[in-house]
């Protein structure tokens, strides 16, 4: 009897320990039948499935089985083998009719069970008509709902994924071997690399600035050197609100807050300029740390710590510098809450700025960084993995932007913000204050504040000069938006197709419920009614997981490595009257030696990418197979390269290059 042959090509992922010595079996399932379960064997033996291998086999059937719908693949140990894991990347099948079918896998197979994978052409739920395809889709989501369960870490903050620890996570979302090795090494060696090990137990004050310098010189970057030299400068203090690690707070000020009673006779704006006139011209800016007001502060080394909720007024000068002109360290005006000015004594003014920089550390780490990138990225990822099958176009579009996020957040909960975590032990806002601030921060999140064009407009920052976060962020957002619009418009031809996609509906519904705790006032959509709404939201998701995270994460050591610029805690209250500060009181206010070095070590760890990081727009895993999405991906990558070149040319003329939104430096996902 003449058989018909299918050529099956199996590619094993090029990862450490990705290969298997087990026997691999496959079954082809088509619209008109299925093959026998076939052992994939060749003269190469186990080498056919070593890391990075590509091997071809023949699967024979009595008759054609029609259009291929899915494959069933698995492995079985033989008598002389041991337990191992296998990471197949993809399977390609050529039919006797000359058609080629691709089956993306990209996941670890650790057991001896049968695993089903659908053909790679994207299918939405309402067009997945084959009964085996439907069954496979339902079984996949049923299993994922068991693997990816919601959990409440603290009341009032976004929900997370339930797990006992990093090793309890599904293999497909765990770090690679290389990532694990580098992360563990960097974490363990952080204090050693910085030359700080002998200081990590010291609970003493810093005796002088030179002592801080001797520690700092162990690990430096070009920008951290600049910070050390210029941290006292007013112009650099103002610059950081635009292009430091927290460009998310500053806003144009057209009316002074009632609790910030600054008048014309208090400030010097140069020449005959008046405050009211400068506000009308759009030259006055405000930073208000009101979310920090009344937070319970930490006790470190047995000493109460201090965290203010300051208000800062800044003036854009004729030469386009953003200069601080007034600082009030507490929210409520009072005789013992003086407003500080650049005309005050050197240490009065410097001390006020130090309290602002310390407040910015807590606002940045807990709101701009932890909440608005890490925690939201986890919500986006868990909802995707629970509710959207691999064959769905949204899964193919978004899954690269979830890489490592669940494990890095799991580690953050264990190593940084747990009861014994570094942040809890050594930051002024650690512990109860952290939980309060996270709740307040989530309550203040709006959909518009997560979308760069809306956020920049709402804060009145469209034409502020030398605002590179805005310049690069808007360009990156537009490039991502064009890519997302192209891909999703290819699959969703009209609004009604969006409305009838039940998997899309479940994805956004879970995000609204578990990410934003069903707070309608956020403006976060509860469902999608148009293609445009879907495109904007997915653009926000990708930008948050890539560009936004890079903007608030990558520069942590650059701007925080030199502790006086970003103290993670302060241990003296702010001055209640002017003229009582000095270098000695400043040194007494700074965090103790051990607090300083723990902060430096942690920021060093969190600023380092692993060698297997994937830049935004690069997709090593081939999830899409249709020509148009693949061409859109190429165009996307080309636009990102152009933007990178433009940023590099611009940076050559800057004293402080702004690189955090350079696509070549932006990682595809929240992975550190």
């Amino acid at each position: 009897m003449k058989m018909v042959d299918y050529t099956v090509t199996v590619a094993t992922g090029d990862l450490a320990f990705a290969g298997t010595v087990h026997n691999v079996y496959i079954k082809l399932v088509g619209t008109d039948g299925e093959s026998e379960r076939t052992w994939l064997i060749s003269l190469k033996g186990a080498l056919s499935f070593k890391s990075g291998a590509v091997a071809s086999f023949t699967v024979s059937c009595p008759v054609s089985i029609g259009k291929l719908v899915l494959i069933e693949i698995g492995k079985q140990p033989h008598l002389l083998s041991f337990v191992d894991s296998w990471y197949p990347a993809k399977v390609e099948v050529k039919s006797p009719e000359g058609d080629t079918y691709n089956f993306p896998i990209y996941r670890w197979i650790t057991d001896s069970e049968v695993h089903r994978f659908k053909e790679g052409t994207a299918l939405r739920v309402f067009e997945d008509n084959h009964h085996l395809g439907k069954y496979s889709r339902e079984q996949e989501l049923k299993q994922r709902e068991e693997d990816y369960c919601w959990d409440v870490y603290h009341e009032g903050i976004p929900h997370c994924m339930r797990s006992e620890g990093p090793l309890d996570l599904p293999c497909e979302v765990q770090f690679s071997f290389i990532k694990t090795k580098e992360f563990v090494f960097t974490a363990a060696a952080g204090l050693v690399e910085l030359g700080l090990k002998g200081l990590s137990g010291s609970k003493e004050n810093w005796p002088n600035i030179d002592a801080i310098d001797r520690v700092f010189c162990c690990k430096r970057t070009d920008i951290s050197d600049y910070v050390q030299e210029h941290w006292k400068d007013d112009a650099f203090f103002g610059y950081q609100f635009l292009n430091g690690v927290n460009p998310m707070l500053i806003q144009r000020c057209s009316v002074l807050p009632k609790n910030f009673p600054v008048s014309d006779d208090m400030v010097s704006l140069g020449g005959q300029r008046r405050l009211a006139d400068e506000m009308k011209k759009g030259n006055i800016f405000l930073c208000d740390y009101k979310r920090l007001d009344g937070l319970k502060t930490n006790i470190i080394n047995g000493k109460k710590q201090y965290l203010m909720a300051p208000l800062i007024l800044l003036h854009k000068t004729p030469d386009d510098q953003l200069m601080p002109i007034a600082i009030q360290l507490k929210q409520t005006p009072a005789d013992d809450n003086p407003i500080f000015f650049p005309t005050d004594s050197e240490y009065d003014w410097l001390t006020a700025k130090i309290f602002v920089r310390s407040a910015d550390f807590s606002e940045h780490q807990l709101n701009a960084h932890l909440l608005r990138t890490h925690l939201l990225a986890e919500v986006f990822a868990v909802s995707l993995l629970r509710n959207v099958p691999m064959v769905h176009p949204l899964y193919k579009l978004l899954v690269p932007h979830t890489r490592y996020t669940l494990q890095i957040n799991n580690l953050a909960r264990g190593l940084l913000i747990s009861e014994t975590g570094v942040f809890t032990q050594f930051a002024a806002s650690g512990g109860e204050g952290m939980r309060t601030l996270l709740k307040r921060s989530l309550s203040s999140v709006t959909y518009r504040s997560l979308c760069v064009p809306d956020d920049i407009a709402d804060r009145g920052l469209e034409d502020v000069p030398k605002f590179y976060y805005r310049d690069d962020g808007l360009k990156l957002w537009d490039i991502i938006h064009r890519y997302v619009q192209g891909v999703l418009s290819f699959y969703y031809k009209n609004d009604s197709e969006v409305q009838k996609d039940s998997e899309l509906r479940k994805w956004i519904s879970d995000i609204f419920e578990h990410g934003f705790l069903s707070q309608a006032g956020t403006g976060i959509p509860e469902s999608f009614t148009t293609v445009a709404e879907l495109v904007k939201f997915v653009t926000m998701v990708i930008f948050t997981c890539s560009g936004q995270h890079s903007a608030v994460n990558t520069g942590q050591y650059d701007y925080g490595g030199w502790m006086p610029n970003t103290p993670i805690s302060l241990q003296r209250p702010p001055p209640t009257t002017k003229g009582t500060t000095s270098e000695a009181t400043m040194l007494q206010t700074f965090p103790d030696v051990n607090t300083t070095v723990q902060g430096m070590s942690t920021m060093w760890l969190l600023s380092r990418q692993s060698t297997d990081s994937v830049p935004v727009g690069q997709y090593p895993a081939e999830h899409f197979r249709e020509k148009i999405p693949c061409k859109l991906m190429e165009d996307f990558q080309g636009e990102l390269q152009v933007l990178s070149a433009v940023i590099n040319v611009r940076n050559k003329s800057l004293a402080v290059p702004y690189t955090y939104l350079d696509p070549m430096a932006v990682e595809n996902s929240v992975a550190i």
Side-chain angles (χ1 to χ4, degrees), residues 241-242 246-252 291 367-368 372 444-464 467 469-470 473-474 477 536 540 543-544 548 551-552:
F241 290 112
L242 297 175
N246 185 18
M248 308 309 298
L249 195 71
I250 188 170
Q251 61 184 33
R252 196 180 298 273
R291 274 184 288 269
N367 183 21
R372 288 171 172 259
S444 71
V445 170
T446 64
Y447 185 26
R448 290 182 63 85
S449 72
L450 298 174
C451 301
V452 178
D454 297 334
D455 179 54
I456 294 297
D458 290 348
R459 290 193 282 145
L461 304 178
E462 300 97 320
D463 57 0
V464 180
F467 190 11
Y469 164 80
R470 174 205 58 210
L474 288 175
W477 173 279
K536 181 176 181 178
M540 181 275 290
F543 185 87
T544 296
Q548 185 61 25
V552 299

Side-chain angles (χ1 to χ4, degrees), residues 363-582:
E363 168 71 22
H364 160 253
Q365 291 292 2
L366 294 176
N367 183 21
H369 185 201
L370 177 60
L371 176 74
R372 288 171 172 259
T373 61
H374 279 264
L375 300 190
L376 291 185
E378 180 168 4
V379 169
F380 302 148
V382 173
S383 187
L384 182 78
L385 295 168
R386 275 178 62 85
N387 299 308
V388 185
M390 288 177 65
V391 75
H392 197 289
L394 184 71
Y395 180 95
K396 295 171 180 289
L397 184 59
L398 286 186
V399 76
H401 303 285
T402 69
R403 184 174 185 252
Y404 297 160
T405 298
L406 299 184
Q407 181 159 350
I408 200 66
N409 280 10
N410 192 290
L411 288 167
R413 283 189 285 273
L415 301 176
L416 295 180
I417 62 175
S418 66
E419 291 300 317
T420 57
V422 173
F423 195 95
T424 303
Q425 289 186 312
F426 294 103
S429 53
E432 184 179 326
M434 173 193 73
R435 294 187 287 274
T436 303
L437 181 52
L438 284 171
K439 287 181 186 178
R440 291 178 182 177
S441 297
L442 182 62
S443 296
S444 71
V445 170
T446 64
Y447 185 26
R448 290 182 63 85
S449 72
L450 298 174
C451 301
V452 178
D454 297 334
D455 179 54
I456 294 297
D458 290 348
R459 290 193 282 145
L461 304 178
E462 300 97 320
D463 57 0
V464 180
K466 302 178 183 177
F467 190 11
Y468 309 120
Y469 164 80
R470 174 205 58 210
D471 297 343
D472 301 349
L474 288 175
K475 290 172 185 172
L476 180 58
W477 173 279
D478 286 344
I479 291 170
I480 293 171
H481 186 270
R482 276 192 292 278
Y483 170 58
V484 171
Q485 187 168 45
V487 171
L488 291 179
S489 297
F490 173 73
Y491 292 106
Y492 294 92
K493 302 300 184 186
N494 52 60
D495 296 342
S496 64
E497 291 188 346
V498 170
Q499 294 165 19
K500 69 179 181 179
D501 191 329
S502 58
E503 289 165 346
L504 268 188
R505 192 158 56 245
K506 190 70 173 70
W507 178 65
I508 187 60
S509 176
D510 255 20
I511 290 171
F512 180 74
E513 177 183 350
H514 296 281
F516 299 91
L517 309 187
S518 301
Q519 297 176 9
T522 60
I524 297 292
E526 299 178 52
S527 62
F528 299 119
T529 57
T530 68
V531 177
E533 288 174 2
L534 174 63
V535 167
K536 181 176 181 178
F537 192 85
V538 173
T539 300
M540 181 275 290
V541 169
I542 295 177
F543 185 87
T544 296
C545 296
S546 56
Q548 185 61 25
H549 178 252
S550 180
V552 299
N553 176 77
T554 310
Q556 287 185 87
Y557 193 82
D558 286 344
Y559 286 91
W562 174 246
M563 179 275 289
N565 187 60
T566 312
I568 69 174
S569 191
L570 295 172
Q571 53 185 354
R572 276 176 61 104
T576 56
T577 58
K578 296 185 179 184
T580 59
T581 58
S582 63

Side-chain angles (χ1 to χ4, degrees), residues 96-116:
E97 293 83 11
D99 297 318
T100 300
Y101 300 89
N102 291 280
F103 299 85
I105 300 177
Y106 302 106
R107 64 182 54 200
W108 290 96
I109 294 178
T110 60
D111 54 25
S112 300
E113 301 297 316
V114 171
H115 298 266
R116 296 181 182 88

